[in-house]
Amino acid sequence: MTTSQSLMRKEVLEIPDAVARLLDKGRDAIRDAAAAAQALNPPYIATVARGSSDHACTYLKYAAELTLGLPVASIGPSVASIYRAPLRLGGSLCLSVSQSGKSPDIVELARVARAGGALTVAVTNDAASPLAAASDQILDIQAGPELSVAATKTFITSAVAGLALIAEWHGDKALTQAISALPGYLEQAVRVDWSALGGRLAHAASLYTLGRGPSYAMSAEAALKFKETCQIHAENYSSAEVLHGPVSIVSQNFPVLAFAAADAAEDAVVEVADAIAGKGATVFVTSDRVTRAKQLPVVRTDHPLTDPLALIVSFYAMVEQVALARGIDPDRPRHLNKVTETV
């Protein structure tokens, strides 16, 4: 596949620098938000987001539950904006993630949560946005302009901002150090060669993406990017669920991409991936533990919670090339706009 000059590729290549900038310029805001969270000591966390931002929230859900031991629930923004239902969020921490910070439904739920006594934290690429104005704490992800419709560097910086908040809140030095080292690892990850998978997908009509735990969020993000940039029908499943029905449609050479980090779920993901490969599917896995599936090269980081971020960066670099191979402009997916404002 030839190197393109798409906006998406340029922005994927900017990810390491964007993360470094966030960790530098956003440090004080992250510490302030963590101090507020510690003082509040909430019994749970609520998240509010859509699209790629919601996948970032899924990733942060697992990170918070595994690190802080706090349950995390995703709230549908329409509960506040359309249904006008009262929500008892007093005493909670409400995390709203929106690249633009402009979607009326996200803003409205943040406003309602704040009025109801929740500590509201906005994760956004616009510190002057309506969402920021409706929130107690603002984490500016410092991504800079993102012109391609497909969110890439804003997804990563949103996830890193939330993860850094969790690490600071918990006082987790190992995780904080791993986050600090991320820019170097992401620089490697963006150059990993996934062309074996990319070549297989140049003419694919459908595929599954799989993951578990924090990597499940990455498989969800990958499925979305396949649809919006490549016009490939992609369905995301937890590796714990795919054998409970969805595997029935798997036929000979059906493509599957499984995300596995170096964490407690790696063996479980690999076991399912090998089982599906045994049924004739062409399965690619980000692990060297496979026996039947095909191994994808990966960059491992210093922590199991930062591993998934390197995986999705390698994916972004590959999926842009798949779009081009299919004759599609990844910067301008049909029917889509950069900012979608829902009520």
Side-chain angles (χ1 to χ4, degrees):
M1 296 180 183
T2 58
T3 301
S4 78
Q5 297 298 315
S6 72
L7 293 171
M8 182 179 178
R9 174 153 295 274
K10 291 177 181 177
E11 289 163 0
V12 170
L13 292 173
E14 290 171 4
I15 287 173
D17 287 342
V19 171
R21 185 167 55 248
L22 164 64
L23 297 177
D24 178 24
K25 294 186 176 181
R27 183 183 300 110
D28 290 344
I30 290 167
R31 288 174 176 168
D32 288 347
Q38 289 170 342
L40 178 65
N41 192 24
Y44 66 93
I45 299 170
T47 64
V48 187
R50 292 197 186 279
S52 288
S53 294
D54 200 30
H55 300 155
C57 286
T58 299
Y59 168 73
L60 295 173
K61 164 188 169 66
Y62 282 104
E65 291 174 350
L66 293 172
T67 302
L68 299 167
L70 290 180
V72 180
S74 173
I75 300 178
S78 60
V79 169
S81 64
I82 295 292
Y83 294 101
R84 305 290 178 181
L87 289 169
R88 292 183 289 177
L89 294 173
S92 72
L93 186 145
C94 182
L95 184 72
S96 301
V97 181
S98 171
Q99 300 149 29
S100 69
K102 295 178 180 178
S103 190
D105 54 350
I106 305 293
V107 175
E108 177 62 12
L109 187 41
R111 187 195 66 76
V112 168
R114 188 184 194 182
L119 172 64
T120 52
V121 180
V123 178
T124 180
N125 203 30
D126 184 356
S129 65
L131 178 62
S135 303
D136 297 303
Q137 301 285 332
I138 305 164
L139 301 185
D140 184 343
I141 59 176
Q142 306 285 341
E146 186 176 64
L147 302 179
S148 180
V149 170
T152 54
K153 64 177 179 174
T154 54
F155 172 83
I156 295 293
T157 48
S158 294
V160 172
L163 187 64
L165 168 62
I166 291 167
E168 184 74 22
W169 178 356
H170 191 242
D172 191 324
K173 292 183 179 179
L175 181 54
T176 298
Q177 290 173 354
I179 294 169
S180 296
L182 260 177
Y185 285 118
L186 298 182
E187 186 67 43
Q188 298 173 44
V190 79
R191 305 185 190 285
V192 167
D193 183 8
W194 281 18
S195 59
L197 170 61
R200 172 64 185 83
L201 297 176
H203 303 287
S206 183
L207 79 152
Y208 282 165
T209 60
L210 308 177
R212 197 160 184 185
S215 294
Y216 174 65
M218 304 307 154
S219 62
E221 172 65 2
L224 174 61
K225 288 298 184 287
F226 277 129
K227 285 178 276 198
E228 69 178 354
T229 67
C230 302
Q231 297 172 20
I232 299 175
H233 174 244
E235 289 191 65
N236 174 52
Y237 290 100
S238 164
S239 63
E241 298 174 353
V242 69
L243 297 180
H244 293 240
V247 72
S248 180
I249 73 167
V250 170
S251 56
Q252 195 69 25
N253 298 320
F254 184 88
V256 177
L257 169 58
F259 288 84
D263 64 10
E266 182 174 9
D267 286 342
V269 173
V270 168
E271 181 180 359
V272 170
D274 280 337
I276 297 175
K279 302 179 188 302
T282 302
V283 185
F284 292 84
V285 190
T286 60
S287 173
D288 60 3
R289 300 183 184 182
V290 294
T291 56
R292 291 182 172 179
K294 301 177 185 296
Q295 176 186 344
L296 284 172
V298 299
V299 171
R300 294 301 190 202
T301 65
D302 294 330
H303 198 284
L305 283 176
T306 50
D307 266 5
L309 299 173
L311 296 181
I312 199 65
V313 167
S314 296
F315 169 82
Y316 284 153
M318 180 274 302
V319 78
E320 183 264 356
Q321 293 289 282
V322 173
L324 292 174
R326 293 169 68 92
I328 298 169
D329 182 352
D331 295 331
R332 299 171 181 83
R334 64 183 184 186
H335 313 316
L336 297 177
N337 297 312
K338 179 61 180 174
V339 176
T340 302
E341 297 185 10
T342 51
V343 177

